[in-house]
Amino acid sequence: MANELTIPLLPCRDIDEIASFYEMLGFSLTYRQTRPNPHIALQREDINLHFYGMVGHVPEQSHSTCLIIVQDTGPLFEAFAAGMRAVHGKLLISGIPRMTRPRLRNDRYTGFAVVDPGGNWIRINKSAQEPEARTKLAKAMENAARLADAKGDEQQALRILEGALKRTDGSEPELQDAQAYRDELVERITGSGPRPGA
C-alpha cells in the first residue's frame, strides 16, 4: 500500500478558539461541525490537524501531542512568528498558547514546538538527522531546550544554561544564541515583557 494519510485528532475546550489560533498561523478551516460533536479540520499546505471539543478539558493538564516532519523548520517558524506578531504584536513564548524558537546548532536550525490554546504540543522537526553538538555550550543549550521546550522545566533549563555560560571562554559560535535563550528563559519564568526584537 502507499499514499496513506494519518491525521491527528486533538482535544480542545472551544473549536472556534482553536480555529482562530491556527488561522493566525496561516491554516485554513476546511471543515466545521457543532453537532453531534464539535469538530474542526484545519490545513496548511500538506499539514492537516483536526480538533474535537471536550467538555471539562484543561489545557494546562493536556498530554496531547503530534509530530510534524519538514525539510526545513526555518520558513515555517518564520511564517508562524509573523502571524503571531501581526495579531499580538510579539512572539508568544510563555503561558498557553506559546511557541518555542528553533535553536541554531552547527549552522542549522533545530525543531520547535507550538503549544496551542488546547494545550496540545505540535512539534515541528527536521527530516534529516541533526549532527552532534560540537561544544560544551552547544550541548548545554540542547539539554536546556529539551528541559524547557519539551518538558516545560524552565527553572532547571536556566540553571544548566547559566552554568554553561559561566564556563564559556567567549569563543563558542553559539554564544550569542545561548545568551538570547537565557534571556528568553528568564522572561518565560518571570513573565516580564518581551525582549527587543522578540
Side-chain angles (χ1 to χ4, degrees):
M1 293 184 67
N3 300 315
E4 293 87 350
L5 179 64
T6 301
I7 298 174
L9 189 59
L10 302 167
C12 66
R13 289 180 302 196
D14 183 313
I15 57 172
D16 293 325
E17 178 185 36
I18 285 285
S20 294
F21 177 79
Y22 281 97
E23 286 172 337
M24 171 185 71
L25 300 183
F27 284 75
S28 297
L29 183 66
T30 59
Y31 179 79
R32 180 181 185 276
Q33 76 172 36
T34 57
R35 295 176 186 273
N37 301 300
H39 176 206
I40 57 169
L42 293 145
Q43 182 174 6
R44 179 189 168 100
E45 296 177 343
D46 291 331
I47 302 172
N48 290 277
L49 297 172
H50 288 212
F51 298 87
Y52 62 94
M54 186 168 81
V55 176
H57 178 68
V58 180
E60 292 78 8
Q61 296 176 3
S62 176
H63 295 280
S64 299
T65 187
C66 76
L67 184 63
I68 297 171
I69 304 297
V70 297
Q71 289 298 313
D72 184 359
T73 59
L76 195 57
F77 172 80
E78 292 301 334
F80 286 2
M84 281 189 178
R85 290 185 181 111
V87 173
H88 296 282
K90 65 178 182 178
L91 191 63
L92 304 176
I93 62 169
S94 63
I96 296 177
R98 67 181 180 274
M99 182 168 69
T100 68
R101 287 184 174 93
R103 307 293 160 203
L104 184 62
R105 188 176 90 193
N106 297 341
D107 300 322
R108 289 200 219 170
Y109 282 98
T110 60
F112 67 98
V114 173
V115 183
D116 69 26
N120 303 297
W121 283 71
I122 313 301
R123 301 173 191 275
I124 296 95
N125 286 343
K126 288 176 66 69
S127 57
Q129 185 67 31
E130 289 291 331
E132 289 297 318
R134 293 188 295 242
T135 69
K136 289 181 179 179
L137 183 58
K139 290 177 182 176
M141 281 184 66
E142 280 183 15
N143 291 335
R146 193 173 296 116
L147 283 166
D149 299 344
K151 297 184 178 179
D153 191 350
E154 283 92 356
Q155 296 279 0
Q156 183 61 24
L158 183 60
R159 283 192 283 272
I160 287 172
L161 195 53
E162 285 187 331
L165 284 167
K166 287 177 184 174
R167 294 186 295 273
T168 183
D169 63 13
S171 65
E172 294 89 345
E174 55 278 324
L175 178 59
Q176 187 175 1
D177 286 326
Q179 292 168 332
Y181 190 35
R182 178 197 54 203
D183 294 345
E184 178 181 320
L185 288 171
V186 169
E187 179 185 336
R188 284 160 65 171
I189 291 166
T190 63
S192 59
R195 293 182 295 105

